[in-house]
Amino acid sequence: MKTFLIMSCLVFNTYFSFAQNVVRAEYFIDTDNGFGNNHQVDFSSSPDNIFPFSIDLAGYLPGFHDLYIRVKDDQGKWSQTTSSRIEITTTSTNVIQAEYFLDTDLGFGNNHQILLPASPDNIFSLPVDLAGYEPGYHDLYIRTKDDQGKWSQTTTRRIEIEKAATQVISAEYFFNTDPGFGNAYQVPFTPLPDGTFSFNIPFDNIPDSVNTLYFRVKDSINKRWSQTQWLRDTVVTSLATDSIWSHVATWSNHKIPDSNTIVILRHIVYVDIMNAICRSLAAIGPALPAQPAEKLRVYQNMLLKITGH
């Protein structure tokens, strides 16, 4: 099995995942030429938001280098630049040993050994024995050794161990500004057998602007809040009476809704184009979308169902 940490060829494949609508991606090694001026990545989105790409290593001397990557979304904003330490070698090597440890390093070759099955894509699973570790945050480390007797760099990931059988006992959401844990809008909910639930957001809680919706939950055992999830700039409201769907002035974000937009109608809006779409739509009182010859497509795939009270 060829190592995934030590590279010996001029081009290697790597993977990058994203959560937003990415329209551009680029990478560079060691030296940044400026946003948009580095090696462009040819990619296409996939259902799991992961895309592979190849990196040209021609011209780089053997040794350690820093690989950087960043992406730009459809709003023209660049992501943070992420980096990974890589090593370029001149000979082909194979991984013959791998090990991991949590928090404390017992020395090269003395930690938990990893079974290395034959894998054509050089990927192997890593079952981690958590027995004896207390709930809370821990650092997971992994490294490999090649057939030349050389160990790779030790990579690390932050993990959290929780007590078993946790349940959600509290949930809350807010728009734009975080009021602090436990101080946001509280969510009444009844979980389904699979642990999922839906809830209603009163219209009065939705500001008349372009909004980012945030959501988090608290478990029953550790009494800890989850990471705060968010839907950036997706909840928009109509601004004026007798407005036109295809006019940007109709919408609080000054953009025509697309398949990711949650639309809140506070006024009558005339649907004047054939390709009018939105992710979810709700209307306050008589503010229903007028339906002339054109049609409105609504994608009902929201995790959160937004309705009025």
Side-chain angles (χ1 to χ4, degrees), residues 97 99 105-111 113 143 151-152 154:
Q97 187 176 353
E99 66 178 14
D105 188 354
L106 300 178
F108 291 95
N110 298 323
N111 297 286
Q113 298 302 300
R143 59 188 171 218
W151 285 94
S152 70
T154 303

Side-chain angles (χ1 to χ4, degrees), residues 5-303:
L5 294 177
I6 303 176
M7 293 154 288
S8 58
C9 53
L10 294 182
V11 175
F12 78 98
N13 291 326
T14 188
Y15 289 83
F16 189 79
S17 63
F18 57 89
Q20 301 302 306
N21 294 323
V22 172
V23 298
R24 190 170 185 176
E26 67 177 15
Y27 75 89
F28 58 92
I29 298 177
D30 299 332
T31 303
D32 188 354
N33 295 319
F35 291 95
N37 298 323
N38 297 287
H39 298 283
Q40 300 303 303
V41 176
D42 183 17
F43 69 89
S44 59
S45 60
S46 61
D48 54 5
N49 288 339
I50 297 176
F51 60 84
F53 64 97
S54 297
I55 294 177
D56 185 4
L57 299 178
Y60 292 97
L61 296 176
F64 290 101
H65 298 267
D66 293 310
L67 168 67
Y68 299 85
I69 185 172
R70 59 189 171 219
V71 298
K72 185 170 74 171
D73 64 23
D74 54 7
Q75 307 299 314
K77 296 179 181 178
W78 285 95
S79 69
Q80 287 185 316
T81 303
T82 61
S83 65
S84 295
R85 191 72 166 167
I86 64 174
E87 182 183 5
I88 301 175
T89 64
T90 57
T91 58
S92 178
T93 59
N94 295 311
V95 171
I96 61 172
Q97 187 176 353
E99 66 178 14
Y100 75 88
F101 57 92
L102 270 69
D103 302 330
T104 304
D105 188 354
L106 300 178
F108 291 95
N110 298 323
N111 297 286
H112 298 282
Q113 298 302 300
I114 302 171
L115 179 64
L116 296 175
S119 175
D121 55 5
N122 295 332
I123 297 176
F124 56 86
S125 61
L126 175 60
V128 177
D129 183 7
L130 299 179
Y133 291 95
E134 293 294 325
Y137 289 100
H138 298 266
D139 292 312
L140 171 65
Y141 298 86
I142 184 174
R143 59 188 171 218
T144 61
K145 187 172 72 173
D146 63 26
D147 54 10
Q148 306 299 314
K150 186 175 182 180
W151 285 94
S152 70
Q153 284 189 312
T154 303
T155 60
T156 181
R157 291 290 184 272
R158 191 72 165 168
I159 65 172
E160 183 181 6
I161 301 176
E162 295 184 348
K163 294 181 180 179
T166 61
Q167 295 179 341
V168 173
I169 59 172
S170 183
E172 64 181 17
Y173 69 91
F174 60 92
F175 289 97
N176 305 324
T177 303
D178 191 346
F181 292 101
N183 298 322
Y185 294 113
Q186 297 302 302
V187 175
F189 63 91
T190 302
L192 297 174
D194 61 0
T196 63
F197 59 88
S198 62
F199 64 93
N200 300 326
I201 298 179
F203 288 122
D204 291 342
N205 293 348
I206 302 175
D208 284 325
S209 62
V210 54
N211 302 297
T212 298
L213 171 65
Y214 296 85
F215 177 77
R216 60 191 170 218
V217 297
K218 185 167 68 172
D219 69 63
S220 59
I221 302 298
N222 299 283
K223 301 297 190 296
R224 293 176 178 168
W225 288 96
S226 68
Q227 287 186 318
T228 302
Q229 307 296 316
W230 49 269
L231 294 170
R232 174 179 292 171
D233 299 344
T234 54
V235 183
V236 300
T237 58
S238 60
L239 296 179
T241 304
D242 297 332
S243 300
I244 306 299
W245 188 279
S246 64
H247 293 181
V248 295
T250 300
W251 309 108
S252 57
N253 64 343
H254 300 291
K255 296 180 181 179
I256 300 173
D258 58 26
S259 58
N260 292 316
T261 307
I262 304 168
V263 173
I264 307 297
L265 295 178
R266 298 183 182 274
H267 313 85
I268 294 176
V269 175
Y270 294 90
V271 181
D272 63 321
I273 53 177
M274 288 297 296
N275 60 343
I277 58 175
C278 64
R279 185 172 184 177
S280 180
L281 181 144
I284 298 178
L288 300 176
Q291 295 290 338
E294 319 304 351
K295 294 183 178 180
L296 171 64
R297 296 170 59 194
V298 180
Y299 292 86
Q300 297 292 348
N301 61 347
M302 281 296 300
L303 292 177

